[in-house]
Amino acid sequence: MVNVTIDPLTRIEGHQRVSTEVGADGVITDAQSSSLMFRGFERILQNQDPRDAAILVQRICGVCPISHCLAATNALDNLYGVAEHVPKDALVTRNIFQALNTIASHATHIYVLWGPDLANPAYRNVLATLKDTGNAIWKEMVGRFAPISYKIDGIPIPAGTSYLAAIPEKKRLQEAIAIIGGRMPGPVTPYPGGYFYKPTVADVVKISSYYLQVMDFVSKYTLQVPFDAWIANTYKASSPKKAVNFVVEHLQGLINKSLSTNDFSREAGWGDVEFYAAFGSQLVGETLLHLPASLKHDSIGGYSDPSKINFLSYGGFYKPENGDGYNPSSPAGDRFLTSGIVTGKLEHKDFDPSKVTESIAHSFYENNDNLPPAKGETVPFTDPGKIVYDQGPNSRYSWDKAPRYDGIPCEVGPLARMLAIKEPLVTGLALAFHENGYSAANVYTRMMARMQETTIIANELLKWVTVDFDPKGKIAVPLDLSKANDSHGMGLWEAPRGALGHWVSTDSKGKVGTYQCIVPGTWNMSPRDSAGIPGPLEQSLVGSKISAVGNALGVDYSNPVGIFHIGRSYDPCISCAVHTIDLTGKNAPRALRIL
């Protein structure tokens, strides 16, 4: 047995450690996921004016501050009793705000945080065995996805065309967010009861122009199928089977032209989505399309026991057709991306927020176990001698708590959301994998879900900007500050990475008594709970092979590209920006003030 530890796991800001036990056959037998940083925001917010929360919590994450801002704003809408009265145009503005951030975040993940692993030299070595065809596939992979300042065998490799092209699009989307956010990161415009700033006609025109430029990137790099045709035949397909058949038939047409010439370029019709859709999966690529090889990403990152995993969505984006107001508990169908629970066997159930709890049995906390977040506590260990990450699965080994839904770990993120809304393409792929002996969730379905969700939100964004938003509409309702005395609020939202919840309670003076956040990374990267059930990442690592293409050329413990793919397929972003722990006793948490 060999221990293989990746620390840090992410390319974005560290703080995540994955430790695995790997057999001589290159198969992972055990895994531990450890978050390495204590996030002190729950303590920072104590005794603050609750209205400050929407600004302060953005510092939890520099990548998706908007998601935290809106989750907090939802909690404050609930706290002040105005959620049912927030004007429709304020809700549409929040939708636009989040949609821009989601598209930017997904593009960053696909091209900058996950995609570079497709240029791992292990794939070159495997594909070389296929001679000309394999070399042509490798040429496309490294030519599209290689990162900046990359070398293979000491030889500098030019940055990939898709990688480079995605970076200015991220900047462009950040600029679009700033138009209605004041700045990005750290926007200042969302507010309980509505929105601080009413976008003008000029703002709408500017955002529309940014959108058109981003869609130009999509047509050149991401999808070679016309965007409207892709939406019509996948997202709007009449059944999952028809959506999958459309994609398979489209890919088959490309293959019929390309295999004889070994031309898999964009000029030959291979957008990045088409390329990965064909070559990423053994079932799709080899079984259905009869390709000579695939990356076999559908055989790693799955769940062996469907009874120990759910897929959870809190529901994201308000429905403009509902008019003013929304339901803070996000019942089924209330939001554009509906809330829902999908079991490991792909059964659908309604979401009930009262079933969310957090276990600290394997975390560095001293508070009570299995508390609901509305009653949650954040009491970190103060003895550094207890903070050890390598004492095995029966120890405490993470700053993450272990959130559970009705006692079951949940994967959150694009795959969970697409399953919850029964999106035809992703649902069809999941069913196909399930029916053919694969895990419905795997690295391939996670990445395809993220790509598909990006197209869906891009499609809806244009409608929110040009049709649903009225620059002359009402943008806010007044607050009665006394409503916050001895009150509580719950903010359920969907960050790009998954279900995000904020819970706040106040004292008799209207100041924050307790504040709890359960972020997507806490769901996906969680440690074991009090019942000993591993979190989603831990489960998905066990049984997976660590080397390229299912250990095709043997086991390489020094280059565990399988672990990279699995861990990063969840788009992990562990708490960043501000962290605090006071061991001196001189500065009580209630005295802290962040301006």
Side-chain angles (χ1 to χ4, degrees), residues 365-439:
Y365 297 99
E366 297 176 342
N367 49 295
N368 293 316
D369 198 29
N370 295 317
L371 292 174
K375 297 181 179 179
E377 302 169 351
T378 303
V379 185
F381 282 174
T382 55
D383 179 359
K386 293 182 178 181
I387 302 171
V388 183
Y389 300 99
D390 59 1
Q391 298 301 301
N394 294 321
S395 70
R396 295 176 185 255
Y397 55 89
S398 181
W399 283 109
D400 271 346
K401 299 178 184 178
R404 298 293 185 259
Y405 181 84
D406 204 15
I408 303 297
C410 295
E411 175 175 337
V412 300
L415 177 58
R417 288 192 290 263
M418 295 298 96
L419 291 176
I421 69 170
K422 300 181 182 179
E423 194 283 322
L425 177 59
V426 175
T427 298
L429 289 171
L431 289 169
F433 287 121
H434 181 68
E435 292 165 0
N436 284 275
Y438 295 77
S439 170

Side-chain angles (χ1 to χ4, degrees), residues 114 117-118 123 297 300 443 561-569:
W114 187 86
D117 285 323
L118 296 176
Y123 287 122
H297 285 176
I300 58 174
V443 169
V561 66
I563 298 177
F564 299 151
H565 281 317
I566 296 166
R568 294 168 183 167
S569 71

Side-chain angles (χ1 to χ4, degrees), residues 43-48 582 586-594:
R43 293 157 64 85
I44 289 173
L45 286 164
Q46 291 176 2
N47 209 36
Q48 304 294 329
D582 174 28
K586 296 179 181 179
N587 297 293
R590 293 178 181 273
L592 291 174
R593 179 73 173 167
I594 307 298

Side-chain angles (χ1 to χ4, degrees), residues 521-536:
T522 316
W523 282 103
N524 289 331
M525 308 288 121
S526 74
R528 288 157 172 79
D529 55 29
S530 55
I533 302 174

Side-chain angles (χ1 to χ4, degrees), residues 301-312 341-347 349 402-412 434 439 441 446 523-524 526-542 570:
Y303 302 113
S304 60
D305 187 347
S307 70
K308 289 184 171 59
I309 195 71
N310 284 331
F311 302 92
L312 164 66
I341 293 290
V342 181
T343 70
K345 294 182 179 180
L346 303 182
E347 302 162 332
K349 298 180 179 181
R404 298 293 185 259
Y405 181 84
D406 204 15
I408 303 297
C410 295
E411 175 175 337
V412 300
H434 181 68
S439 170
R446 282 187 202 104
W523 282 103
N524 289 331
S526 74
R528 288 157 172 79
D529 55 29
S530 55
I533 302 174
L537 172 60
E538 294 178 332
Q539 290 187 46
S540 69
L541 285 163
V542 174
Y570 290 93

Side-chain angles (χ1 to χ4, degrees), residues 66 96 154 158 224 235 263 365 401 403 445 457 515 559 594-595:
I66 286 172
I96 296 167
Q224 293 299 294
Y235 172 52
D263 183 0
Y365 297 99
K401 299 178 184 178
T445 50
I457 293 175
Y515 202 101
N559 185 16
I594 307 298
L595 299 175

